[in-house]
Amino acid sequence: MLLIKALGVGIALAIILDVTIVRTLLVPAAMHLLGRWNWYAPEPLVRLWKKSGMSDLEETTVQRQPFTRNRRHARSGDVGIEDDLHI
């Protein structure tokens, strides 16, 4: 009976760790770093999507802006996460 309780606690801790660390921190960070490569699909799959009519793929180019700091916040000391860095 003690072994079953220990397994239950271990599984519960593993799920909590997975939800908090992996899914809320690591996956979004990796998706941000990968950018367009995050949405890569092999060519046969893209052809299948287009043939079946499920494709909403558009040939767009993503233009990345160079790293800049927002000078308005840099002087005032009041730095907002969304306003401070422009990538």
Side-chain angles (χ1 to χ4, degrees):
M1 189 66 157
L2 186 61
L3 178 65
I4 294 174
K5 288 181 182 180
L7 284 174
V9 169
I11 290 173
L13 289 175
I15 290 172
I16 291 170
L17 181 72
D18 176 56
V19 168
T20 57
I21 303 297
V22 175
R23 295 186 189 195
T24 61
L25 296 175
L26 297 179
V27 171
M31 289 178 71
H32 180 74
L33 289 174
L34 289 172
R36 294 272 304 165
W37 279 101
N38 190 48
W39 306 108
Y40 169 78
E43 188 60 35
L45 187 57
V46 172
R47 283 196 308 265
L48 177 66
W49 286 338
K50 288 180 181 179
K51 185 177 179 181
S52 66
M54 294 189 310
S55 175
D56 60 346
L57 300 176
E58 297 177 7
E59 297 297 325
T60 60
T61 58
V62 176
Q63 296 179 359
R64 297 194 51 103
Q65 298 176 351
F67 174 78
T68 59
R69 286 188 84 53
N70 191 339
R71 298 290 179 197
R72 178 178 52 132
H73 291 297
R75 276 182 258 138
S76 68
D78 184 17
V79 178
I81 293 173
E82 63 278 344
D83 294 334
D84 186 38
L85 301 176
H86 299 284
I87 298 175

